[in-house]
Amino acid sequence: MRPALSLLLFAALPLFAQKFEEKVTVSYVEVPVTVLGRDGAPIRGLTKENFEVRDNGDRREIESFDAIDFAAAAGTSARVISPLHPASRRNFLLLFDLSYSNPQTIIRAQDAARNFVARSIGRRDAVAVGTVDIDHGFRFLTAFTTDRTLLTAAIAQPRTFRSRDPLQIASSSTMQVEPEGMVPTQQGTDIALENLRDVARLSSRMDDSYKRGRLKKQVELLTDIAQNLQRLAGRKHLVLLSEGFDPRLVQGRGNQAEEDQAIERGEVWKVDSDQRFGSADSQTQIQIMAEQFKRSDVVLHAVDIQGVRVANDVKTGARFNSNEGLFLLANSTGGTVFRNSNDITAEFDRLARQHDVVYVLGFRAPVGRAGQFHDLKVKVVNVPGARVQHRGGYYDEGTVSLLERSLTTAEVIVNDIPEDDIGLHAMAAAFPDGKVPVVMEIAGPDLVKHAKNNRATTDLFVYAFDEQGIVRDSIFQRVTLDVSQISKQLEGAGVRFYGTLNLPAGKYAVKSLVRVSESDRMGFQRVELEVPADGEVSVVRPLFFADAGNWVMVKATRDDPKAPYPFVLGDDAFIPAARATLRKGEPRLFAVFVYNADPQELTWEITPVAKLVSEARGGDVTKYVFALEQVPADARELAVTVRKKGSADARTMTVPIEVR
């Protein structure tokens, strides 16, 4: 489990409707580090011995070390869906500012966001889309995802978009008072004008006070967003799409001749110190925000969506128009302000080049007080002139907010983060018609262990990511288990879930996750497969017959009840095992289905060696049954290769096996 902190939320992802506050502790920390030379380019070739880590001043032993070179990987055949160390991933939150914008500038914000997704982010970057609104809080339209289709849909409707995916990873204005009136005499005019100036001055103070209150709320919302991102691994960039606020509310407007004269006359009530010198409260609030961004390892960048701004002209009374407010926010976190969307690509390309090489340092730390912040310092030794960039620290685990819980659950799937509190084995088999049956086997004893009050609300997720990181199909189902009623089945076996994905031809990573709501414990597994094109020679992965067991059977409610069941031999249907477990000395049967090939033209290679038991042909498929009899104790994989006689073309399928 990862660090967490109890937070006040203004919005949450829709699936999780209850507060969860179980306390857990941190024992292992991973820190992504970038090392730059004097020329600003990343330094390659460093080893663990080149680094020193101090946690709250105490030196920690580096137990794990990983060097990731994105530039080198870009020249290889690495796919978007191939696993990536979570600590090295870049995460971007595109945040539409609905408070400081209008319909016209929202259109500019949408254009900037589209350009950013299309031109600035890498193929393996994770992006989320959200909104911030002083009157309604903040809302995540998507979680951090590689699914560009979902992001495009969210950007098109930032005010109204609602994702149908439970984890969201798959597709005021103020009136200006103008005093006016007529007076009969010069003396009366002077008195009336002075009274009107007092009224206007008071109105201006009230108006500024109102605006400062709204600004305070905005800054607090940004602070809360950073807090909710603190548990996510990798670099985090918040890109605020906004017109910005009047910087005078923070900085003041400087000395005015009229106010100087009032002070000389002793009329101090005519001088508003906040307007003249700036608001200390607002400045403090921005400092608090900046500190939280640093602690959460988040950098705020701002995109000015107003367009061409007029210059200030105090003499003629032109309206104060500046994007300095955006600079106040971004600069405090080490970020950048982009005056138009064309600036974004070049700047983020520069940032990406700086982070082409990432060193991930792992160490163990003693458990502290829940929610306590640890200050981190990373030093590079024996590398003259090196400059180090790394996260500022981490939190000991404490209570988990709804939004943190949602984002980190999505992060497990997107980043392939190991989770094994709930035992899970999953398999997926690709058929030429695009049907991909998925079987999940969930360890019953773990469900019992992590249930509460004899209740285990079990959430089942399956996502199929294509090579571009787009989710082509997904399954979600919630199953509420009464442990007291099915304890024997759970203790003896567990829950077996069956569902079907519909996927076009191509390569996929199918990611399965199970989560028990009452305890927030999870299990995760990833399998890769290739869906063949209709009509081509194809081999379905070896299908082991499931052991007899008193399982709780669950079928996906979205599946068509009239759809033909794919796992059939002769007149008998069978359930394939998600995990191939072999007992020493006992034969184990498995089936292989071959499509669109004449059996007389095929040759076989099976490792470990297997014996052919039966063969049956019907239509475009030939179904074989083999027996594994003498399996080496160290065998970890079954490999089946089918090739056409006299041809180099081959189809190889492998599945993991476990020998007991």
Side-chain angles (χ1 to χ4, degrees):
M1 303 296 291
R2 287 160 297 250
L5 183 67
S6 179
L7 305 171
L8 176 64
L9 288 182
F10 294 88
L13 300 183
L15 171 63
F16 309 110
Q18 62 180 9
K19 182 77 173 178
F20 180 76
E21 299 184 346
E22 180 171 345
K23 294 183 179 180
V24 290
T25 55
V26 171
S27 60
Y28 196 78
V29 181
E30 290 184 314
V31 185
V33 179
T34 299
V35 184
L36 305 178
R38 291 188 176 94
D39 58 355
I43 297 177
R44 292 174 166 82
L46 300 182
T47 66
K48 181 172 71 173
E49 286 66 32
N50 290 116
F51 294 92
E52 290 183 2
V53 176
R54 291 193 177 275
D55 175 3
N56 281 341
D58 297 325
R59 185 167 179 173
R60 303 294 186 210
E61 179 184 355
I62 299 174
E63 298 188 16
S64 65
F65 178 83
D66 195 8
I68 302 166
D69 193 330
F70 289 99
T76 68
S77 59
R79 296 172 293 160
V80 174
I81 59 173
S82 60
L84 177 69
H85 198 300
S88 65
R89 191 187 288 275
R90 294 194 307 173
N91 301 282
F92 295 94
L93 170 58
L94 300 179
L95 191 65
F96 286 86
D97 184 353
L98 303 183
S99 302
Y100 294 98
S101 60
N102 59 60
Q104 185 61 39
T105 57
I106 284 292
I107 294 175
R108 293 196 189 101
Q110 290 171 292
D111 290 340
R114 292 188 190 97
N115 288 337
F116 181 79
V117 171
R119 297 160 50 191
S120 299
I121 61 174
R123 297 175 66 226
R124 301 187 62 147
D125 291 333
V127 183
V129 180
T131 62
V132 59
D133 184 343
I134 292 171
D135 297 318
H136 301 96
F138 66 83
R139 185 167 70 91
F140 274 65
L141 309 183
T142 77
F144 289 92
T145 179
T146 57
D147 193 328
R148 306 302 187 244
T149 302
L150 174 66
L151 297 173
T152 301
I155 291 169
Q157 305 175 66
R159 292 185 182 275
T160 60
F161 180 80
R162 295 290 188 278
S163 174
R164 300 176 66 179
D165 173 32
L167 291 183
Q168 298 183 292
I169 57 176
S171 310
S172 102
S173 61
T174 303
M175 182 182 298
Q176 298 297 320
V177 178
E178 297 293 343
E180 55 181 309
M182 296 181 62
V183 288
T185 64
Q186 181 65 41
Q187 181 181 10
T189 298
D190 292 340
I191 297 173
L193 287 176
E194 183 62 26
N195 290 337
L196 288 174
R197 289 192 187 99
D198 288 341
V199 172
R201 189 178 296 115
L202 177 60
S203 176
S204 177
R205 290 184 184 181
M206 294 176 63
D207 182 42
D208 282 353
S209 177
Y210 171 75
K211 290 179 179 178
R212 285 194 186 93
R214 290 180 63 80
L215 173 60
K216 180 176 183 291
K217 185 71 170 179
Q218 176 86 343
V219 174
E220 287 175 345
L221 288 171
L222 293 174
T223 304
D224 288 337
I225 292 173
Q227 287 178 325
N228 278 277
L229 298 180
Q230 65 189 10
R231 300 179 74 233
L232 294 182
R235 289 180 192 80
K236 291 157 284 191
H237 300 270
L238 190 158
V239 181
L240 180 66
L241 303 153
S242 174
E243 291 184 56
F245 57 87
D246 187 344
R248 178 176 55 83
L249 299 172
V250 178
Q251 296 176 321
R253 66 187 179 202
N255 296 342
Q256 299 288 313
E258 181 180 345
E259 292 178 341
D260 292 341
Q261 294 172 4
I263 293 174
E264 291 175 359
R265 295 193 300 268
E267 299 171 334
V268 293
W269 64 87
K270 295 182 179 180
V271 180
D272 187 327
S273 60
D274 282 347
Q275 290 185 355
R276 183 180 177 91
F277 303 111
S279 169
D281 287 344
S282 297
Q283 294 168 7
T284 299
Q285 196 66 40
I286 291 177
Q287 291 173 357
I288 293 173
M289 182 203 77
E291 180 63 23
Q292 183 59 57
F293 269 74
K294 175 185 176 183
R295 292 187 167 201
S296 298
D297 196 22
V298 183
V299 177
L300 187 152
H301 307 277
V303 179
D304 183 0
I305 61 175
Q306 181 170 314
V308 178
R309 292 177 180 265
V310 300
N312 298 330
D313 189 342
V314 177
K315 291 184 179 179
T316 60
R319 184 180 176 185
F320 194 92
N321 197 347
S322 166
N323 54 20
E324 181 65 22
L326 295 176
F327 280 93
L328 290 173
L329 296 178
N331 289 351
S332 68
T333 71
T336 303
V337 175
F338 305 102
R339 291 178 174 83
N340 60 72
S341 60
N342 293 327
D343 294 337
I344 301 177
T345 301
E347 177 64 16
F348 277 103
D349 283 348
R350 181 185 66 81
L351 290 175
R353 286 193 299 273
Q354 286 187 342
H355 296 96
D356 273 346
V357 180
V358 178
Y359 301 97
V360 182
L361 316 179
F363 64 90
R364 296 188 183 277
V367 176
R369 186 178 65 255
Q372 177 183 353
F373 180 74
H374 290 243
D375 183 67
L376 284 178
K377 301 294 183 185
V378 178
K379 179 182 178 181
V380 177
V381 296
N382 299 323
V383 187
R387 179 162 53 93
V388 182
Q389 297 179 351
H390 62 88
R391 62 190 288 189
Y394 68 95
Y395 289 89
D396 282 339
E397 295 206 18
T399 55
V400 181
S401 73
L402 299 178
L403 184 53
E404 283 182 303
R405 180 188 183 198
S406 302
L407 292 175
T408 52
T409 301
E411 182 191 22
V412 169
I413 293 174
V414 173
N415 286 339
D416 301 292
I417 296 175
E419 292 285 351
D420 56 8
D421 287 333
I422 305 295
L424 171 66
H425 292 90
M427 63 82 68
F431 287 80
D433 59 358
K435 301 296 183 183
V436 179
V438 177
V439 177
M440 299 171 63
E441 292 177 353
I442 306 161
D446 291 339
L447 295 176
V448 174
K449 176 182 177 181
H450 296 295
K452 288 189 176 181
N453 299 321
N454 283 321
R455 181 185 180 93
T457 304
T458 307
D459 293 327
L460 306 171
F461 303 90
V462 182
Y463 292 86
F465 290 80
D466 70 7
E467 291 191 288
Q468 303 304 314
I470 297 174
V471 177
R472 292 300 183 183
D473 198 9
S474 63
I475 300 171
F476 167 70
Q477 190 153 325
R478 171 169 286 175
V479 181
T480 301
L481 303 174
D482 186 337
V483 174
S484 64
Q485 296 295 319
I486 55 174
S487 59
K488 290 184 178 180
Q489 290 170 281
L490 293 179
E491 292 290 358
V495 174
R496 181 174 279 146
F497 173 79
Y498 173 85
T500 306
L501 297 167
N502 298 291
L503 302 173
K507 296 180 179 179
Y508 297 90
V510 177
K511 305 182 183 185
S512 303
L513 183 142
V514 57
R515 185 178 57 81
V516 176
S517 296
E518 283 75 16
S519 60
D520 203 32
R521 302 297 185 180
M522 293 184 284
F524 172 78
Q525 188 168 7
R526 164 199 171 106
V527 297
E528 295 192 17
L529 58 77
E530 182 173 359
V531 177
D534 191 23
E536 75 174 22
V537 176
S538 60
V539 180
V540 177
R541 59 156 281 168
L543 305 169
F544 281 84
F545 298 95
D547 289 327
N550 191 16
W551 292 82
V552 177
M553 303 299 299
V554 178
K555 185 176 180 181
T557 55
R558 74 165 208 169
D559 282 7
D560 182 359
K562 298 181 180 179
Y565 185 70
F567 303 119
V568 177
L569 282 170
D571 295 329
D572 298 324
F574 68 95
I575 298 175
R579 174 179 58 169
T581 303
L582 289 73
R583 294 177 178 84
K584 190 174 181 180
E586 294 183 13
R588 185 68 190 269
L589 299 178
F590 66 91
V592 177
F593 295 180
V594 181
Y595 284 82
N596 304 310
D598 186 343
Q600 303 302 319
E601 298 180 349
L602 301 180
T603 62
W604 294 83
E605 294 178 13
I606 301 178
T607 306
V609 177
K611 176 183 177 182
L612 179 63
V613 175
S614 67
E615 173 184 331
R617 184 174 184 182
D620 59 352
V621 60
T622 303
K623 300 179 180 181
Y624 302 88
V625 176
F626 295 89
L628 282 171
E629 295 180 342
Q630 300 296 327
V631 180
D634 60 350
R636 296 292 180 268
E637 182 180 79
L638 171 69
V640 177
T641 300
V642 180
R643 60 167 44 91
K644 199 171 183 179
K645 294 178 181 178
S647 171
D649 187 26
R651 301 288 186 272
T652 299
M653 301 297 295
T654 61
V655 295
I657 60 176
E658 179 183 354
V659 181
R660 293 182 176 179

